[in-house]
Amino acid sequence: MKKIDLKYKNLNIPLLYEFDNSMPVVNFKLIFKASGSVANDKFPGLANLVAKMLNEGTSKLGVSEFANLLELKAVNLSVFSGFETFGFEINTLKENFNYGLNLLISLLKDPNFTQKTLDKIKTLIKGEIASNNTDFDYLSRTELNRLLYEDTSLEYPQIGTLESIDEIGLNEVKEFFNALFLENLFIVLAGDIKENIDLNELLNCFKNGNKNNLPFIKTSDEQKLSFVKKQVEQAYIYFGAPYNVKKDEIFKANVAIFIFGSSGFGSRLMEEIRVKRGLAYSIYARVDFGLSSSKIWGYMQTKNESKDDAIEVIKSEFLKFVKDGVSQDELNNAKNFLLGSVVLQKETMFGRINIKQKEFYMGEEFGEFERTLEKIKALNLDDLNKFIKAHDEILNLSFSVVSGS
């Protein structure tokens, strides 16, 4: 993959280009950085709502006729929203790419931003929120985010709340859409296609404006505990803590947490919680290292009467992990799996492109994925255990528990 600077309106817009003719397909993305949910914390759920409205076709054609035009040429055109990013994606056969691109342009010029469409999407989202209120796994996970990120934009679910959705009108929708500024855009073009395509008409659908700064949101270290009582037969337990890792040591954290809680039946947590004590069918721990936050978190489900014991065991295992580190056998097994799974990650064009896209987004040079593999390969036990022991912030665990007692 190579980065090309597109000259447009006195800007250099990054175009990430990869020629790949292993299949006669094209993958095309417009990605706006710092433009997802983080861009508007006054109305939680706004970014998600706008994405859903943009998936409703144009105001002239409506959703059904627009969808029929896409289906006619087997073009997949979707709008996506995350916490940090907002974007548009086309996947199609190379012969139909221009057709799909023209449909995207028509969508951007005439989005279906009508009161009728807004009312429809708000009704659907409210129904989803209502459904989530009976999803106890979702409730526990959402409550953990509130504990870890209170009074920040990460406190709220990306779908929003019933109150925030009610407050969103067409003005808020249009303001969000019009704030997708070219200064925050990068483009991905991959597949069986030449790099020199004309994108001026597409880019003309967006305005110049401010370059958004992505805030870094601190994960709480206050060791909060929340119990929510519901009519449930099982306790749903989510836990999380800060994980303040330097960029050049993230690979060590990934190896460490693979051993501790991400390797299925071979993990420390699974061995202690399920195999030895029979407290749960499954338990895991993960790490999230984004540009806006950094944390370790995990989940388990257990009997109502076992929830307190489970929490104490989790705390104990974290403490043992930081104090004692890992063994040479655990490190060897982790290396074998992580290095051996590379083939699957790079098996398809889409997998390879996603790796390169992530490298660029995280501010790394292309090839960082392969360099990281070499670092993992060379990682020795002493260095890994020194790293583990240096990060006792992960002991500052907060717990969210939804249970029946």
Side-chain angles (χ1 to χ4, degrees):
M1 177 169 276
K2 62 180 179 179
K3 182 174 81 72
I4 302 167
D5 289 328
L6 294 181
K7 308 291 184 181
Y8 185 79
K9 290 187 177 180
N10 297 319
L11 295 174
N12 290 325
I13 299 175
L15 169 66
L16 312 184
Y17 172 73
E18 176 83 3
F19 178 76
D20 188 321
N21 62 357
S22 58
M23 296 184 294
V25 298
V26 175
N27 175 241
F28 179 76
K29 299 174 191 172
L30 301 174
I31 301 174
F32 292 86
K33 297 187 289 185
S35 301
S37 300
V38 70
N40 194 321
D41 56 8
K42 186 178 179 182
F43 298 99
L46 177 58
N48 173 69
L49 185 145
V50 173
K52 288 183 181 296
M53 288 191 72
L54 285 165
N55 280 312
E56 290 289 303
T58 66
S59 64
K60 180 180 179 180
L61 295 174
V63 61
S64 296
E65 190 171 345
F66 191 79
N68 288 337
L69 290 176
L70 291 172
E71 188 177 353
L72 184 65
K73 298 287 188 178
V75 175
N76 184 297
L77 193 165
S78 60
V79 186
F80 57 88
S81 170
F83 181 73
E84 296 180 354
T85 61
F86 191 96
F88 305 80
E89 181 170 8
I90 295 174
N91 286 300
T92 184
L93 293 171
K94 67 175 184 177
E95 63 213 52
N96 298 326
F97 175 69
N98 287 333
Y99 176 87
L101 188 62
N102 287 332
L103 284 176
L104 174 57
I105 291 170
S106 68
L107 174 65
L108 295 171
K109 288 182 176 180
D110 182 34
N112 200 357
F113 290 164
T114 63
Q115 189 63 47
K116 180 180 179 181
T117 303
L118 176 60
D119 291 342
K120 170 188 171 182
I121 296 301
K122 288 174 76 168
T123 299
L124 291 173
I125 291 175
K126 287 181 181 180
E128 190 175 345
I129 292 172
S131 178
N132 287 340
N133 286 332
T134 62
D135 182 342
F136 305 114
D137 182 282
Y138 173 86
L139 291 177
S140 184
R141 184 172 66 251
T142 301
E143 176 65 3
L144 178 67
N145 284 335
R146 189 190 69 80
L147 297 177
L148 295 179
Y149 300 107
E150 194 169 5
D151 297 326
T152 76
S153 50
L154 272 174
E155 173 183 356
Y156 302 100
Q158 290 186 35
I159 193 175
T161 65
L162 290 175
E163 295 76 17
S164 68
I165 297 302
D166 271 335
E167 293 176 355
I168 296 172
L170 282 177
N171 285 338
E172 286 72 36
V173 170
K174 292 175 182 178
E175 286 176 6
F176 182 94
F177 178 73
N178 290 330
L180 296 174
F181 297 132
L182 291 166
E183 283 79 359
N184 303 305
L185 174 66
F186 73 92
I187 302 170
V188 179
L189 177 65
D192 193 0
I193 188 170
K194 295 180 179 179
E195 64 186 75
N196 56 344
I197 61 172
D198 185 358
L199 296 176
N200 285 339
E201 187 178 1
L202 175 68
L203 295 176
N204 199 43
C205 297
F206 301 101
K207 300 175 182 178
N208 287 97
N210 298 322
K211 184 174 182 179
N212 296 341
N213 294 316
L214 188 65
F216 187 83
I217 303 172
K218 182 178 179 291
T219 304
S220 174
D221 60 359
E222 295 179 13
Q223 301 184 47
K224 300 175 184 178
L225 181 60
S226 171
F227 285 97
V228 177
K229 190 173 181 179
K230 296 284 184 179
Q231 292 296 320
V232 292
E233 297 179 358
Q234 297 279 315
Y236 298 78
I237 302 173
Y238 273 85
F239 52 91
Y243 206 179
N244 305 320
V245 178
K246 295 178 181 178
K247 190 174 181 180
D248 62 355
E249 290 193 309
I250 286 177
F251 78 97
K252 295 179 184 177
N254 286 328
V255 174
I257 299 309
F258 179 84
I259 294 169
F260 181 65
S262 302
S263 53
F265 279 102
S267 74
R268 289 276 191 90
L269 286 178
M270 184 73 84
E271 180 71 18
E272 191 66 30
I273 293 287
R274 173 178 168 156
V275 178
K276 291 184 180 180
R277 299 173 183 258
L279 289 174
Y281 177 76
S282 177
I283 182 171
Y284 60 79
R286 305 280 190 269
V287 289
D288 285 343
F289 297 118
L291 295 179
S292 58
S293 64
S294 175
K295 71 176 184 291
I296 181 171
W297 64 279
Y299 167 75
M300 72 168 291
Q301 191 175 327
T302 189
K303 296 177 182 179
N304 285 319
E305 59 268 27
S306 302
K307 64 182 184 300
D308 293 332
D309 288 341
I311 290 172
E312 291 307 313
V313 173
I314 291 170
K315 290 179 179 179
S316 174
E317 287 305 304
F318 268 82
L319 186 59
K320 288 179 186 176
F321 180 65
V322 171
K323 180 182 176 183
D324 300 331
V326 303
S327 70
Q328 186 65 55
D329 283 344
E330 288 176 316
L331 175 56
N332 292 342
N333 291 335
K335 285 186 178 185
N336 289 338
F337 182 90
L338 294 171
L339 297 173
S341 64
V342 171
V343 174
L344 294 177
Q345 295 179 64
K346 302 178 74 173
E347 187 175 19
T348 67
M349 181 193 81
F350 297 98
R352 295 188 293 272
I353 296 308
N354 286 337
I355 288 171
K356 300 295 184 184
Q357 177 185 313
K358 182 180 179 182
E359 289 174 342
F360 172 80
Y361 181 76
M362 296 300 291
E364 300 162 344
E365 297 292 330
F366 292 136
E368 183 62 25
F369 180 82
E370 286 76 16
R371 289 188 290 273
T372 296
L373 294 176
E374 291 302 315
K375 291 177 183 178
I376 292 174
K377 195 174 182 180
L379 182 61
N380 65 60
L381 186 63
D382 286 343
D383 285 345
L384 180 58
N385 281 334
K386 286 178 183 176
F387 169 83
I388 292 171
K389 293 175 184 180
H391 286 277
D392 59 357
E393 73 271 14
I394 68 173
L395 301 180
N396 296 320
L397 289 162
S398 291
F399 286 84
S400 165
V401 184
V402 174
S403 66
S405 62

